[in-house]
Amino acid sequence: MAYKILVLKGDGIGPEVIGEALQVLKIVARQSAIDLEFHEALVGGHAIDTHGKPLPEEVLKQGQESDAVLLGAVGGPKWDNTKGGPRPEQALLGLRAGLGLFANVRPVRTLRELIPSSPLRPEIINGVDFIVLRELTGGIYFGKPSERRESSSGREAVDTCLYSEAEIRRIVKFGFELARDRRKHLTSVDKANILSTSRLWREVAMEVAADYKEVTLEHQLVDSMAMHLIRRPRDFDVIVTENLFGDILTDEASVLAGSMGMLPSASLGEEMNGAGFRIGMYEPIHGTAPDIAGRDEANPLAAILSAAMLLEHSLGMRSEAESIVKAVEGVLHEGYRTKDIQGSVAGAKLVGCKAMGRLVRERLESQESDS
Ligand code: IPM
Ligand code: MG
């Protein structure tokens, strides 16, 4: 069986971290005798420089013809403030919309080894384990009109937040399904005291709940949720929310895991032929980190964990995904740390991006010979 994987390394530290993740995937392919075909293409700032646009049509088409997309990150100071010109981030939105990736899964776990890397107290974050499920193709990111214009009193700008019942239903349903296989607790986050879209969201969430009696549904307003997330993060299991709220809350949640450099994500579309496999795009949530790009300092673990999510969600290889997670935990347990997760622990062994990737691969290979 051959699987096609489109590799979009992107800008900044994207190429470094995806390079390590790719090598991990190659080992898994060899160990499990599957055929992974990698195709590379340019997106984001590099694509603007080379093709004049952040997401050339051919690249989107290649994505549509692939089993999965592995993406680094896009953007950087070089392409900022282009008034009206192309922006690297448009590549992300184009891929999300063009591939129908409505469900963004962002798992947040605090590994025991990384507790000292978080600015939060151990008794608050010890044992944190939840998933933020962010709606990814609707809301204010995509609503029209979205523009700047002249009015009689000067410049003005407008963005539109629109959600259809169907868009809300499919993401909330996804949330219930995730929760059903976990600790059976779903928190739906909205701003129903102010926004019409949120009131519809809440209404639809309650309707969907009728089909999932074994799961408890709670509603939280996004402002108080921002507080609960850092005061009592262990109380959450699956959190489902709209596009903009999910964007904001997941950056906040990354602090619980010690570093943004630890958080992977999967953006998934509809299930294919009811077979449980979904087209997906997998990326670390950390962004391009231009300040450390090219210096072999980036943490490749979020990219490597994203590759694990790719195996699980798009290729149905759950145990292989688990082996990668185990290898990552093993390396951290041995005390190896990239700069971002160095914390204040005595005895931490500081390594760069390449060395961290190599350590994970060595661990994967020795796990295989143990089993
Ligand atoms: C994210 C990022 C993106 C978003 C940006 C880079 C467009 O912040 O994936 O969370 O806002 O969705
Ligand atoms: Mg974000």
Side-chain angles (χ1 to χ4, degrees):
M1 182 79 199
Y3 295 106
K4 267 196 203 158
I5 298 179
L6 179 63
V7 180
L8 305 172
K9 293 181 174 167
D11 310 314
I13 59 171
E16 297 166 64
V17 297
I18 293 299
E20 299 308 316
L22 270 183
Q23 293 196 55
V24 167
L25 282 178
K26 285 178 186 161
I27 290 186
V28 173
R30 206 193 60 224
Q31 288 178 339
S32 20
I34 53 157
D35 193 1
L36 297 184
E37 250 179 53
F38 297 104
H39 301 267
E40 276 195 41
L42 292 183
V43 286
H46 283 103
I48 294 177
D49 290 350
T50 315
H51 303 289
K53 42 182 136 174
L55 179 65
E57 291 78 27
E58 315 80 81
V59 179
L60 178 58
K61 186 153 173 282
Q62 268 182 292
Q64 286 158 343
E65 288 162 358
S66 300
D67 293 293
V69 180
L70 183 63
L71 180 123
V74 294
K78 181 175 174 197
W79 305 282
D80 276 350
N81 302 317
T82 42
K83 275 207 183 114
R87 284 174 291 112
E89 291 76 14
Q90 289 163 335
L92 271 185
L93 298 201
L95 283 161
R96 290 169 183 174
L99 299 175
L101 308 174
F102 69 92
N104 183 218
V105 181
R106 298 186 165 181
V108 179
R109 264 192 331 134
T110 307
L111 300 178
R112 205 162 28 88
E113 285 80 8
L114 294 187
I115 290 177
S117 311
S118 173
L120 296 168
R121 287 210 303 272
E123 63 271 29
I124 291 186
I125 57 172
N126 186 13
V128 164
D129 178 4
F130 60 78
I131 293 176
V132 181
L133 180 63
R134 167 187 175 194
E135 200 290 327
L136 204 59
T137 50
I140 203 160
Y141 273 63
F142 290 95
K144 293 279 174 311
S146 168
E147 64 195 14
R148 261 168 79 123
R149 56 200 181 194
E150 294 299 323
S151 78
S152 50
S153 51
R155 288 167 296 173
E156 62 178 28
V158 60
D159 293 295
T160 304
C161 184
L162 178 103
Y163 268 111
S164 73
E165 169 179 0
E167 284 174 316
I168 300 170
R169 184 165 285 117
R170 68 178 175 183
I171 191 76
V172 170
K173 200 164 165 271
F174 198 130
F176 273 107
E177 270 153 27
L178 286 176
R180 190 176 56 189
D181 295 339
R182 293 172 46 99
R183 302 193 304 277
K184 302 186 175 29
H185 187 251
L186 181 66
T187 306
S188 171
V189 177
D190 60 38
K191 185 74 184 168
N193 51 349
I194 298 293
L195 302 176
S196 303
T197 43
S198 279
R199 284 190 288 274
L200 179 63
W201 183 283
R202 199 174 273 216
E203 197 177 303
V204 172
M206 288 190 286
E207 288 163 15
V208 178
D211 296 333
Y212 296 90
K213 296 243 157 52
E214 67 278 42
V215 176
T216 316
L217 171 67
E218 74 165 328
H219 304 278
Q220 289 289 349
L221 294 172
V222 63
D223 47 354
S224 53
M225 187 64 188
M227 181 181 69
H228 296 313
L229 255 192
I230 44 171
R231 283 182 73 157
R232 50 179 191 90
R234 268 188 305 227
D235 291 354
F236 300 103
D237 178 19
V238 178
I239 298 164
V240 64
T241 191
E242 61 125 275
N243 207 341
L244 181 62
F245 299 162
D247 178 46
I248 298 169
L249 292 177
T250 47
D251 268 30
E252 185 190 11
S254 73
V255 180
L256 302 165
S259 162
M260 275 220 172
M262 293 301 302
L263 290 198
S265 80
S267 303
L268 305 172
E270 301 284 357
E271 212 171 274
M272 287 182 280
N273 335 314
F277 303 140
R278 292 169 187 270
I279 166 109
M281 180 163 85
Y282 301 84
E283 61 185 301
I285 83 155
H286 50 57
T288 53
D291 50 324
I292 59 164
R295 291 167 41 178
D296 193 32
E297 272 179 26
N299 182 350
L301 295 179
I304 290 173
L305 293 169
S306 300
M309 290 188 88
L310 182 157
L311 292 172
E312 176 173 353
H313 295 282
S314 283
L315 309 190
M317 298 172 68
R318 193 171 196 154
S319 68
E320 288 80 358
E322 277 164 11
S323 311
I324 295 178
V325 174
K326 215 173 120 202
V328 166
E329 289 175 356
V331 169
L332 292 171
H333 191 69
E334 283 167 12
Y336 293 103
R337 299 284 185 276
T338 42
K339 224 171 178 178
D340 59 312
I341 48 174
Q342 196 180 8
S344 50
V345 205
K349 301 173 221 169
L350 184 64
V351 293
C353 182
K354 289 202 180 86
M356 187 56 112
R358 195 188 60 239
L359 286 160
V360 173
R361 294 196 296 280
E362 283 168 6
R363 197 79 203 188
L364 254 184
E365 301 201 291
S366 71
Q367 276 171 204
E368 185 192 32
S369 48
D370 291 350
S371 60

